[in-house]
Amino acid sequence: MSQITSLIEHPELMTKRDVSDLQKEIDSKIDKLGLQLTVRLGGMMVVSFGVLATIVKLPL
């Protein structure tokens, strides 16, 4: 992470390879976050369907 911070603080020292590496790293982190978000959303949907099914089965 310190390398990224160093490159951002001194953009004049960045090479094309640095930019390419940084772009790949950012893309991989975004993909990872997207997968985590998908899993969390799926978990919340499962729980909400379970709660809804329980409420429907309750005698009124």
Side-chain angles (χ1 to χ4, degrees):
M1 190 66 161
S2 62
Q3 182 184 9
I4 294 172
T5 306
S6 165
L7 290 174
I8 292 173
E9 289 175 354
H10 304 288
E12 66 277 358
L13 300 177
M14 291 181 72
T15 64
K16 289 182 180 182
R17 182 173 181 204
D18 290 335
V19 172
S20 175
D21 291 345
L22 187 59
Q23 183 177 10
K24 288 177 186 176
E25 186 176 344
I26 290 172
D27 287 343
S28 69
K29 288 185 180 193
I30 289 174
D31 287 340
K32 181 180 176 185
L33 288 173
L35 290 173
Q36 288 176 345
L37 183 61
T38 302
V39 169
R40 287 183 183 172
L41 179 60
M44 288 189 289
M45 289 178 64
V46 167
V47 169
S48 64
F49 286 135
V51 168
L52 183 61
T54 303
I55 290 173
V56 169
K57 289 184 179 181
L58 286 176
L60 297 175

